[in-house]
């Protein structure tokens, strides 16, 4: 995928699809048994923010912990979301054997910022439904990114701007503000989320940690029980690792 050369966030950029050379294979675990969810729920309804800054769906003590570093504008991430989320939730997370955590990785820099901030704006319960919706509708946002004349002009207008200004301006251009308004997030709340300096810092810190400490260089990057899955970008590939791990 073409990476727009002017996009950066805290001097950190990565390329969609690209994976580091040093990776590890899945570590098999004993075949796990299904675990009952809290009364009145199934495990897909149990969602919480993790200390690392991601959002996790499922049993926090699951035998297999799948973590994805993803970008809401990355086509390969979008394909995984459209093809893999339903079977992942239905066949693995619901059983309590597997948990799934999504961590934002701003592969395109500023254009990713409003999508991530607004995707996290409602907190835990709407997080995954909104993530999946953004992936289903990803094509409309990709069209905006592919307009080089418009994006270059926008970037030039934001030279030296503070992150909240950058997030709000890109959010309007990409159509994310109107998008989340149609899905239950009032504009006043959306604007507050786009201007949340603490949340912006957490996103940048999470990305820098992924690059500096975990070897993530692009999206999607999957980890199973703490180990990176080598060149596994699609749902069939990730599912194979889940099965090999005992799911």
């Amino acid at each position: 995928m073409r990476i727009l050369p002017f996009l950066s966030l805290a001097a950190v950029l990565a390329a969609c699809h690209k994976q580091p050379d040093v990776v590890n294979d899945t570590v098999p675990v004993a075949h796990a048994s299904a675990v009952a969810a809290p009364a009145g729920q199934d495990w897909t309804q149990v969602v919480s923010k993790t200390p690392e800054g991601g959002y996790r769906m499922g049993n926090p003590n699951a035998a297999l912990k799948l973590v994805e570093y993803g970008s809401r504008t990355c086509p390969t991430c979008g394909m995984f979301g459209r093809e893999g989320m339903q079977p992942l939730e239905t066949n693995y997370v619901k059983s309590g054997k597997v948990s799934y955590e999504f961590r934002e990785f701003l592969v395109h820099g500023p254009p990713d910022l409003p999508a991530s901030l607004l995707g996290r704006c409602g907190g835990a319960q709407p997080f995954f439904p909104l993530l999946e919706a953004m992936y289903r509708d990803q094509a409309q946002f990709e069209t905006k990114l592919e307009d080089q004349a418009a994006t270059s002009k926008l970037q030039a207008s934001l030279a030296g701007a503070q992150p909240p200004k950058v997030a709000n301006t890109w959010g309007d251009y990409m159509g994310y503000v109107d998008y989340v308004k149609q899905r239950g997030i009032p504009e006043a709340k959306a604007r507050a989320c786009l201007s949340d300096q603490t949340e912006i810092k957490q996103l940048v810190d999470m990305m820098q940690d992924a690059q500096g400490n975990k070897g993530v260089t692009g999206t999607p990057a999957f980890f199973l029980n703490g180990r990176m899955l080598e060149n596994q970008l699609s749902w069939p590939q990730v599912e194979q690792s889940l099965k090999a791990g005992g799911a």
Side-chain angles (χ1 to χ4, degrees):
M1 178 181 177
R2 178 178 57 83
I3 300 300
L4 304 180
F6 55 76
L7 301 180
S8 64
L9 187 65
V12 181
L13 267 181
C16 188
H17 312 311
K18 186 179 178 183
Q19 295 285 2
D21 295 328
V22 180
V23 294
N24 296 286
D25 294 328
T26 304
V27 177
V29 298
H31 283 266
S33 300
V35 180
Q41 294 181 298
D42 68 58
W43 282 117
T44 64
Q45 299 169 310
V46 179
V47 180
S48 60
K49 191 173 184 179
T50 67
E52 293 78 12
Y55 280 85
R56 179 185 58 225
M57 174 198 300
N59 178 8
N61 299 313
L64 294 173
K65 297 175 173 62
L66 179 67
V67 175
E68 176 187 0
Y69 285 91
S71 160
R72 294 167 191 255
T73 63
C74 168
T76 309
C77 303
M79 184 174 295
F80 179 86
R82 292 187 293 273
E83 296 181 353
M85 286 301 295
Q86 190 276 329
L88 172 62
E89 294 173 14
T90 301
N91 300 332
Y92 296 95
V93 175
K94 274 189 176 181
S95 70
K97 298 178 183 181
V98 177
S99 66
Y100 169 63
E101 180 180 348
F102 184 87
R103 298 178 187 173
E104 314 280 346
F105 193 87
L106 309 181
V107 74
H108 288 130
D112 275 340
L113 184 58
S116 295
L117 290 169
L118 293 174
R120 297 157 65 91
C121 192
Q125 291 310 311
F127 179 87
F128 285 102
L130 190 50
L131 175 65
E132 293 175 42
M134 285 183 173
Y135 280 149
R136 285 194 302 270
D137 298 326
Q138 191 180 63
Q140 71 186 65
F141 305 117
E142 289 298 320
T143 299
K144 294 280 191 175
L145 275 182
E146 290 168 0
D147 187 338
Q148 287 186 289
T151 54
S152 295
K153 182 178 179 180
L154 183 61
Q155 180 68 10
S157 74
L158 291 171
Q162 292 298 307
K165 173 68 172 177
V166 173
N168 276 273
T169 304
W170 275 103
D172 287 329
Y173 170 73
M174 295 289 287
Y176 284 122
V177 175
D178 286 338
Y179 187 81
V180 299
K181 281 169 60 178
Q182 296 167 13
R183 287 158 181 81
I185 297 178
E187 182 167 355
K189 183 173 183 179
R191 297 293 179 191
C193 289
L194 289 171
S195 302
D196 189 335
Q197 296 269 27
T198 299
E199 190 73 8
I200 291 170
K201 183 178 185 301
Q202 184 170 60
L203 290 175
V204 175
D205 289 347
M206 185 161 49
M207 184 172 176
Q208 290 179 326
D209 176 70
Q211 288 189 306
N213 298 323
K214 298 178 175 64
V216 176
T217 60
T219 56
F222 293 98
F223 289 77
L224 188 58
N225 287 359
R227 293 200 173 188
M228 183 176 282
L229 304 181
E230 180 178 3
N231 296 321
Q232 296 190 22
L233 306 175
S234 69
W235 167 242
Q237 293 169 329
V238 172
E239 184 178 32
Q240 186 176 23
S241 290
L242 291 175
K243 290 178 177 178

